[in-house]
Amino acid sequence: MKLKNAVVLVTGANRGLGQEFARQAVAAGARKVYAAARNPASINIPGVIPLQLDVTNPVDIARVAQDHPDITLLINNAGIAETGGILSPEADQMLQRQMEVNVFGPLRLSQAFAPVLAANGGGAVINVLSIASWITGPLLATYSVTKSAAWSMTNALRQELQAQQTQVLGLHVGFIDTDLTKDLEVPKVSPSSVVEATFAGLEQGAHQVLADDVTRQVHGALSGYPDIYLLPIAH
């Protein structure tokens, strides 16, 4: 799918990776870029149209899909991460909160926009996933569960949307230098490099983008070294 003249909706566009997706979509010649956040007043990106959208609210999702039938590219970027092990007393509550944003949000948005994309010739969906879709550790155990679920959901979407010629792209990446990771002392990549790689993959018709070296290394080790699953993302 080409970005030029596309009509793009980016969730979680008020900061970090979502903000960069919106900026680069404008720069690439998208006809319209809708930048969505719970508080649209927090969006300050030249050339975008701010939208109020809480991805955990089905009413919000239905309203946005009904009011914006011109969208050709849905970028499911909004996400949250909570730190803690899977055996912590709060693990079930953390998992529920993160599932609502990281899995059910993208699922409901994809369901709502599937007919919109079909009516506009197919278009595309980008789901922001993670290296945590494949490996985990005590630091991000519940987050990893949600990203594994989001990866599986992305694969299912790809199969079901193929008939209407909707491209579904899963973005896998390690730690990105954003507000979400500001307290983590780990190697990080820039949001700009991640978005550049993702949009390049989109225009090449890719179904998956591995946006940094560590993600490519882990992906390559999945079949040749099954014990990769036993290695933590971070301590």
Side-chain angles (χ1 to χ4, degrees):
M1 176 183 176
K2 300 301 181 185
L3 275 167
K4 189 171 179 60
N5 294 321
V7 179
V8 184
L9 170 62
V10 185
T11 67
N14 57 319
R15 62 178 187 169
L17 193 65
Q19 188 176 68
E20 188 64 22
F21 268 121
R23 283 175 177 159
Q24 289 199 30
V26 171
R31 180 158 53 90
K32 285 184 192 174
V33 178
Y34 296 109
R38 287 178 177 172
N39 176 17
S42 65
I43 296 170
N44 184 22
I45 307 168
V48 308
I49 303 168
L51 292 183
Q52 194 281 323
L53 173 63
D54 178 349
V55 301
T56 69
N57 187 333
V59 174
D60 268 11
I61 292 171
R63 170 183 51 79
V64 171
Q66 180 177 355
D67 291 350
H68 302 89
D70 54 346
I71 287 167
T72 60
L73 172 59
L74 168 64
I75 303 179
N76 284 314
N77 165 78
I80 60 171
E82 298 186 31
T83 57
I86 203 70
L87 295 180
S88 69
E90 301 82 19
D92 56 343
Q93 292 96 338
M94 290 193 298
L95 187 55
Q96 287 172 358
R97 288 191 293 267
Q98 291 171 98
M99 287 288 288
E100 277 296 318
V101 179
N102 299 348
V103 180
F104 293 115
L107 173 60
R108 290 171 181 145
L109 279 155
S110 299
Q111 290 171 328
F113 278 98
V116 173
L117 297 175
N120 292 328
V125 177
I126 296 175
N127 285 345
V128 176
L129 303 173
S130 173
I131 193 175
S133 305
W134 305 320
I135 58 173
T136 187
L139 181 67
L140 292 169
T142 53
Y143 173 77
S144 296
V145 171
T146 69
K147 287 301 183 178
S148 291
W151 178 41
S152 183
M153 183 265 291
T154 299
N155 294 335
L157 279 175
R158 185 179 298 112
Q159 294 173 13
E160 295 192 29
L161 293 178
Q162 186 175 12
Q164 68 176 47
Q165 298 184 327
T166 297
Q167 180 184 355
V168 177
L169 188 156
L171 163 63
H172 294 273
V173 65
F175 292 104
I176 307 170
D177 192 8
T178 66
D179 290 350
L180 198 66
T181 65
K182 61 181 170 51
D183 296 325
L184 300 179
E185 295 296 326
V186 293
K188 303 170 188 177
V189 294
S190 69
S192 60
S193 68
V194 174
V195 173
E196 287 167 8
T198 304
F199 281 160
L202 178 75
E203 298 215 345
Q204 292 162 9
H207 67 271
Q208 179 171 264
V209 166
L210 312 179
D212 60 348
D213 288 340
V214 66
T215 299
R216 288 187 286 271
Q217 291 166 6
V218 168
H219 183 265
L222 291 175
S223 59
Y225 183 50
D227 288 346
I228 192 74
Y229 294 106
L230 301 180
L231 301 179
I233 297 174
H235 298 280

